[in-house]
Amino acid sequence: MKLTNIKSIVLYLFFFLPFMVAFSHELQYGLKFHAYSYEPEMRTSLDLYPNDFFSFPKGFSISFDVKFEFKETQTYGYVFRIIDKNNHKIDFVLGDKNISFSSSLGDIIFIKTFSEVNLLPEHWIKIRLNVNIKEDELEICIGNVVRKWKVPEVKNFNDVRVVFGKNNYPETQTVDVPDMTIKDIKIGNRNTSLYDWKLSKYASSGVYDELKNHFAECKNPDWILTQNVIWKKESTFTCEGNPYITYNPDKNIVAVADQHLFYTFFLNDKQFKKQVVNKGFSYSRYANQMIYNSADSSYYIYNLVKEEDGREFAAFNQATGAWAETTPHNHFSDYWHHNRYFSVKNNTLYLFGGYGHHKYKRDAFMYNASNNTWLKKTLTGDNIEPRYLSGLGVISDNQLLRFGGYGSESGNQELSPQHYYDAYSIDIETMEAKKLWTLKTPEENFVVSNSLIVDTANNCFYALCYPFMKFNTTVMLYKFSLTEPKYEILADTISLGFKDGRSFVDLFLDKTNHKLIAVTSSSIAMDSLASISIYSLSYPPFLKADLYQPEKSKNKIFGIILIFVFGGVASFFFFLFYKKRKMKTTEQTNIQSDTITEIDNDTESTSGISTVKSVRKQAISLFGGFQVIDKDGNDLTTEFKPLVKNLFLLVLLNTIKNGKGISFLKLKEILWFDMTEESANNNRGVAMSKIRQIMKHLGNVRFLKHGVYWTIEFGNDIYCDYYEALILIRKIKERKDININDIKRLLSIVSEGELLPNIQTDWADTFKSDFSNDFVDLILPFINRKETGFSDSLYIDMANAIFTHDPLNEDALRLKCSILVKMGKNSLAKNTYTTFVKEYAIWFATEYKYSFDQIIS
């Protein structure tokens, strides 16, 4: 069936959606433990009942899923340890690729090894321990292996604490942690489920169980679900400028070719290989012109010069390191940033659009590899204006999706070029294009990655989007609907130095490991080296807000007991106590080993915003990403559509910073520059009405107009981290003595992340740079004069916070490396230096001039 219009696409999704969903992969989640490659204080601990004991008078069972990596030479470590009030223990320990069980109950000590259990790396296995007090019996199940023992002493083993990984209790302390990941911890009794920690979403310092909201404390966690939000840099290397880049899905390889070397990065095992090209290609290096053909497992390059000069298609011989014979061409490309797709079914290469010599192209080309013929085609159906920097994805074998780009109706660069936000389906059998929808122009223009990832099962597609009219740009992952002009921004961001024809951005899908693969290439100057960066993100991607459990009371059961025991009067006092507890901060950032204390109560309040201590409810957060939580703990962030969000932030930031707000003329200049004053005023009224509707759920919020300025006024119950940070900076500057608590509180706020990282606009950049400069200027004097009252860990916190807002700050590098060396953490110091040097090379295309020894001297 050919999908030649929107209705047929919907029909296709209707019939195939259930089938594709049924075979979609299982979402990966769990808690990965930091093991021997980390310093002992940085290893992971999960305490299911911090500082207290479970009570199981009738016995209990505990089960969970675990997988081990076996990548480290040292595999020994405690999977978990169960301890009672008399320090009697039951331990599960990973040894040399086998699990042993030991217990010391009373005077009885025994150790059992499960040598018959076949532990495979990266394979989940279920473990269950049953403590049967009635039958004086211990039962252990590991996979399909079941063992039981009669242990009379087990009858007293009923008040226990359970700790996975590192154990911090002084009487039973251990730092030996295996390289493992666990999930789905369940505790029950006689077929009754009592607790269930999925270890999927999590809270600020731990995780709540799904049944009773029981809080388990986790230190130094590595939550698997964050891999669906945070891009992981897999590799960075340099090559000659303007290389060719493609992806080999058969072996999960990113391949890069310049004129003298062929590079391959194997994503499965992180191997990086370079092969000398014995016979190079002579095509222009100014347009990415390489593809991979799964039919013959070969890489090909092609050229798109003028027809009379000959168009060619040449394979790379991986055994000899030679490209097939090509004709020398010295032409600059006419087709920079064109789109390409190789159909294995048709053995045909399809090419669309591009730019060169001040012309945007609407051209479409077909190369049939079976008969070695090139054809220039004209698309029929709906008109696709000449453009480049658009994205191309695959809907089906015969159906492509093309979206976005930059060009002009005439194709001439000098005649009204513009961004395009339309989506088309292209039938490659008939070469007919059908428009699916057109997106309203966003507040900040963007172009898209060369490839799109189409997910027909969920009726969407993904693209890497970025403003291309500035060098220091930010690449963001967008999720678009296939059938209507809607989108959302997911995951975190990727930094890129973009230079039009000397840069390239692409997106691939690793279907085996369920990961998105992003590849960026950037050359600062025409003859400079190119910096290639490869990133991965677990699929499907999420919003950052999707990672978190709502914060819940950790004292619910305790409160019920008090009410039951003490009755009416006690319940009244408990109510007061509980209300007071809810006003305390439960979501503090863990900055190394120092505890962040609350700021003083004498902090002044301006613009009506109070620096209240609870950030769980009625909170506006700007550091690490924009987020709004209402008075019931619900996340309102997604209610702020782009225009509404920008208007809200413009009024909020200007009110907090200058106290007088922002004028309508300034708002019009930023948000509605292309509208008449009447239209802009109407749009402003509609957007503010929407904000007021949202704010009803937040608390006491009012938009006010003082003269020509719009301001926002909050009640004292509203918290804003940006406001508190500015208050603390001013307070620290003005005090003659040093209040360490104020400094620690400020560090805890700004270490959440950059100010509004997902908003990349000129007006936002002004607030970001002003804050970064103020913060760094405040902290650097403390670093340089080495205050005697500051601990080493506090200095590390300062350096980390500076890096968050100024990643290439050399003072922070010197401080952190020297302190780490002083603390004996040489490997961490070296890793810090290596990361800095790599980032420095990416941004400045030159090596960092100071060695590690010079930095720490």
Side-chain angles (χ1 to χ4, degrees), residues 490-558:
L490 307 174
D492 64 348
T493 60
I494 297 172
S495 297
L496 174 68
F498 189 82
K499 282 284 189 178
D500 206 348
R502 297 191 289 276
S503 301
F504 188 73
V505 178
D506 216 341
L507 181 66
F508 309 106
L509 178 61
D510 171 7
K511 295 182 180 179
T512 301
N513 300 306
H514 311 298
K515 291 185 177 182
L516 290 173
I517 307 299
V519 183
T520 65
S521 171
S522 180
S523 304
I524 292 178
M526 185 172 295
D527 298 322
S528 70
L529 295 176
S531 176
I532 309 295
S533 293
I534 302 170
Y535 303 84
S536 68
L537 183 77
S538 290
Y539 187 84
F542 293 156
L543 288 165
K544 187 176 181 181
D546 293 335
L547 298 178
Y548 306 121
Q549 293 177 313
E551 292 286 355
K552 304 156 187 173
S553 170
K554 302 173 188 177
N555 297 301
K556 182 177 178 181
I557 297 175
F558 179 60

Side-chain angles (χ1 to χ4, degrees), residues 341-354:
Y341 167 66
F342 188 84
S343 169
V344 175
K345 175 185 173 183
N346 300 334
N347 201 25
T348 300
L349 172 68
Y350 297 88
L351 308 171
F352 303 94

Side-chain angles (χ1 to χ4, degrees), residues 544-546 548-552 586-587 612 614-622 625-640 648 694-701 714 717-721:
K544 187 176 181 181
D546 293 335
Y548 306 121
Q549 293 177 313
E551 292 286 355
K552 304 156 187 173
T586 61
E587 197 163 328
V612 297
S614 174
V615 297
R616 291 180 300 167
K617 297 179 181 179
Q618 296 181 275
I620 303 168
S621 302
L622 307 186
F626 175 67
Q627 187 178 44
V628 178
I629 305 297
D630 72 7
K631 53 192 172 185
D632 296 320
N634 300 313
D635 194 334
L636 301 177
T637 309
T638 56
E639 298 294 321
F640 289 83
F648 175 73
I694 299 173
M695 291 296 105
K696 288 179 181 178
H697 303 285
L698 181 65
N700 185 15
V701 182
F714 291 90
D717 54 347
I718 309 297
Y719 172 81
C720 178
D721 57 356

Side-chain angles (χ1 to χ4, degrees), residues 640-798:
F640 289 83
K641 302 307 179 186
L643 175 61
V644 173
K645 177 168 64 177
N646 283 344
L647 175 60
F648 175 73
L649 288 172
L650 277 165
V651 178
L652 173 69
L653 291 170
N654 281 281
T655 300
I656 291 176
K657 189 171 183 182
N658 60 38
K660 64 181 182 181
I662 185 172
S663 69
F664 172 70
L665 290 178
K666 189 65 176 178
L667 287 173
K668 181 181 181 302
E669 177 185 326
I670 296 173
L671 300 178
W672 303 289
F673 61 90
D674 57 344
M675 293 185 182
T676 65
E677 184 170 337
E678 181 180 0
S679 296
N681 205 26
N682 289 337
N683 276 270
R684 190 266 315 154
V686 171
M688 283 193 172
S689 176
K690 176 62 176 176
I691 294 173
R692 289 188 179 101
Q693 291 176 16
I694 299 173
M695 291 296 105
K696 288 179 181 178
H697 303 285
L698 181 65
N700 185 15
V701 182
R702 292 194 300 164
F703 273 89
L704 301 173
K705 189 176 183 183
H706 299 289
V708 298
Y709 290 96
W710 283 96
T711 63
I712 189 167
E713 184 178 282
F714 291 90
N716 291 331
D717 54 347
I718 309 297
Y719 172 81
C720 178
D721 57 356
Y722 175 66
Y723 174 75
E724 184 180 358
L726 292 184
I727 288 291
L728 287 167
I729 288 175
R730 188 175 75 189
K731 184 178 179 182
I732 294 168
K733 281 181 179 179
E734 293 176 353
R735 289 186 69 142
K736 294 182 180 179
D737 58 334
I738 298 173
N739 187 322
I740 293 181
N741 288 339
D742 285 345
I743 295 174
K744 289 180 178 180
R745 178 60 181 169
L746 176 61
L747 295 178
S748 75
I749 295 171
V750 303
S751 295
E752 285 290 335
E754 182 189 349
L755 182 67
L756 298 173
N758 292 329
I759 298 181
Q760 304 295 326
T761 60
D762 291 339
W763 65 262
D765 288 345
T766 300
F767 287 97
K768 294 179 187 183
S769 60
D770 287 350
F771 180 82
S772 295
N773 291 337
D774 289 345
F775 173 69
V776 173
D777 290 345
L778 175 74
I779 298 299
L780 281 181
F782 294 121
I783 291 175
N784 294 331
R785 65 175 179 253
K786 293 289 182 69
E787 298 290 343
T788 56
F790 289 2
S791 65
D792 287 341
S793 58
L794 181 57
Y795 278 124
I796 295 291
D797 297 342
M798 289 180 171

Side-chain angles (χ1 to χ4, degrees), residues 57-59 131-137 150 154-155 190:
K58 297 181 180 180
V131 179
N132 190 333
I133 292 178
K134 182 179 180 180
E135 302 294 334
D136 293 340
E137 187 176 76
K150 282 288 184 178
V154 80
K155 62 178 175 291
R190 294 186 179 181

